[in-house]
Amino acid sequence: MPDSTRSDNPLSAGLLPAQLMVIAKEPVPGRVKTRLTPAYTPAEAAELAEAALADTLAAVASVGVTRRILALAGSPGRWLPPGFDVIAQRGGGLDERLAWALADALVTSPDPLVFIGMDTPQVTPALLAGAVEPLVSGTADATFGMAEDGGFWLLGLRQIDPALVLGVPMSRADTGARQLARLHQAGLRVRMLPELADVDTAGEAERIAAAAPGSRFAARVRALGPRTLVTVR
């Protein structure tokens, strides 16, 4: 059944015929943002993960596209706004889970698709729209955002092809470079987006919160207070 974000005539409704997908884990203590510990407890790290996810979903919800998707490992919670199709993640490694998410989205719609993770709560609707528009207009075959740690925070495809991510080594310092090379090897015209920082460490959490002071994430960081780790030599 169509949800409230859909339209029989999306262009007349002012919506871009495209899909925005968030790849996320349910924010359960001990399963998300484990690199934030010991600066934060597992429960506090999960609070920060939930805030980051809520900010990301809110940004996606503010972009006028015909379909919004959450590819979720776990169960939806109060942080999920209306208007999202929820699909379960499947597969082993992250590259497999991304490939299956793309394949599952394609079953419902062949429209261009942009996906992001839950690690960049500073993302804005304008940034996301800037990733979608070139795909819809045909001025780019892919859109791509590198992360400061060497990964990537966003990938958009004009034509959904799970093979473009399958087999790319993930969670490495060269993941972003390898994924970008895969796109170029496929002969795709790639539109680059600004580089963003991921929330992985306590220092990054404080830096991202300072850069997006009005976000839920920043409010949670402030509420939990500063965390300084003393290195024992």
Side-chain angles (χ1 to χ4, degrees), residues 25 28-42 45-46 200:
K25 293 181 181 178
V28 175
R31 296 183 185 176
V32 291
K33 292 294 156 206
T34 54
R35 289 176 59 190
L36 288 176
T37 60
Y40 295 94
T41 68
D200 284 320

Side-chain angles (χ1 to χ4, degrees), residues 4 8 12 16 33 35 40 60 65 85 91 94 98 104 116 121 125 144 146 148 173 181-182 195 222 229-230 233:
S4 59
D8 291 335
S12 66
L16 292 169
K33 292 294 156 206
R35 289 176 59 190
Y40 295 94
V60 169
V65 293
D85 293 339
L94 179 56
L98 293 175
D104 289 342
I116 60 173
F144 193 70
M146 292 284 289
E148 288 184 2
R182 176 74 68 87
E195 184 177 272
R222 289 193 295 268
L229 289 178
V230 177
R233 297 183 181 276

